[in-house]
Amino acid sequence: MDFVTFQRAFQESGVIELHEVQKEFPDFHARRLSDWQAKNYIQKIINRFYRWTDQPLTEQLAFYTANRIYRDSYISLWSALSYYGLIPEGVYQTYSVSTHKTKSFSTPIGEWVYKHIKPTLFFGYRIERWNNKPLLIAEPEKALLDTIYLNTQWHNTTDIDALRINWAILAEIAQPNIIREYAEFYCNQRITELAHYLIQRMSDD
């Protein structure tokens, strides 16, 4: 196969997956990808996943890539909190939660970290669009609860205050009843108590 044919078929793909290429072109030889890497047409992310080298490395592309390279995951934790403007710090890794095992990938274009959650907690995400492609990211309420849940060393309100949450933004984009409802699914007294504190601070501020 020549590169022009390949490019026409996948030019709208933010992430190129070898499985999809071989599905579209059953006689495709993976060695062609090595040739095109050498010519700087494409760049390898991890095994079986590639990107166009001339595509800007945006936050949306990082999020979409995170969704693609580790299935059954959605953006959450520090990445989602930063995306919504709820914490002041910039986040240089892309954090997700997944029903699969905890895993991380260090690649030439970034680092992706996945934290395991139980299948019963795989909810509370929204589907946004990036270049007409679905991008899964936690709702603000769920991003906060996922973060508290997975940081098991957090036990009191001082730990929550250390997050330096922008309470004004949280009150604007989140709903107390959603926090309360979602917290019940964790079946965890620590989560329930800290969720109550979130709700209290939202009303105080």
Side-chain angles (χ1 to χ4, degrees), residues 74 97 117-124 142 146 149 182 185-186:
Y74 61 83
V97 296
I117 58 170
K118 297 180 291 187
T120 53
L121 295 178
F122 196 84
F123 67 90
K142 189 60 162 51
D146 283 344
Y149 175 68
Y182 284 0
F185 284 88
Y186 291 84

Side-chain angles (χ1 to χ4, degrees), residues 19-168:
H19 172 74
E20 293 180 350
V21 176
Q22 293 174 327
K23 183 178 179 181
E24 181 75 15
F25 302 104
D27 296 329
F28 181 81
H29 293 289
R31 69 178 179 342
R32 299 299 295 154
L33 296 174
S34 297
D35 296 339
W36 295 334
Q37 285 181 78
K39 294 179 178 179
N40 204 36
Y41 295 159
I42 61 173
Q43 182 180 32
K44 183 178 181 178
I45 303 173
I46 61 171
N47 286 339
R48 301 181 295 108
F49 293 92
Y50 302 81
R51 63 176 289 271
W52 302 110
T53 52
D54 60 356
Q55 188 171 43
L57 292 171
T58 63
E59 182 180 57
Q60 289 80 6
L61 176 60
F63 287 179
Y64 179 69
T65 302
N67 286 175
R68 288 291 304 277
I69 66 177
Y70 208 55
R71 305 288 184 169
D72 300 319
S73 68
Y74 61 83
I75 302 298
S76 189
L77 309 173
W78 315 107
S79 293
L81 296 180
S82 177
Y83 175 78
Y84 291 120
L86 293 175
I87 57 174
E89 295 85 0
V91 180
Y92 301 102
Q93 296 173 308
T94 301
Y95 288 89
S96 303
V97 296
S98 171
T99 56
H100 299 303
K101 66 180 181 180
T102 292
K103 194 174 183 65
S104 62
F105 298 98
S106 182
T107 81
I109 62 170
E111 295 189 13
W112 285 269
V113 178
Y114 302 83
K115 298 293 185 179
H116 170 74
I117 58 170
K118 297 180 291 187
T120 53
L121 295 178
F122 196 84
F123 67 90
Y125 57 87
R126 60 182 55 163
I127 301 177
E128 298 191 354
R129 309 299 297 184
W130 172 73
N131 286 357
N132 204 33
K133 299 175 181 63
L135 191 161
L136 278 59
I137 184 169
E139 297 168 352
E141 300 91 344
K142 189 60 162 51
L144 274 168
L145 293 173
D146 283 344
T147 304
I148 295 170
Y149 175 68
L150 289 168
N151 285 276
T152 56
Q153 74 276 18
W154 294 356
H155 290 282
N156 54 53
T157 57
T158 301
D159 297 319
I160 301 300
D161 289 338
L163 272 172
R164 296 191 294 166
I165 295 171
N166 187 317
W167 297 106

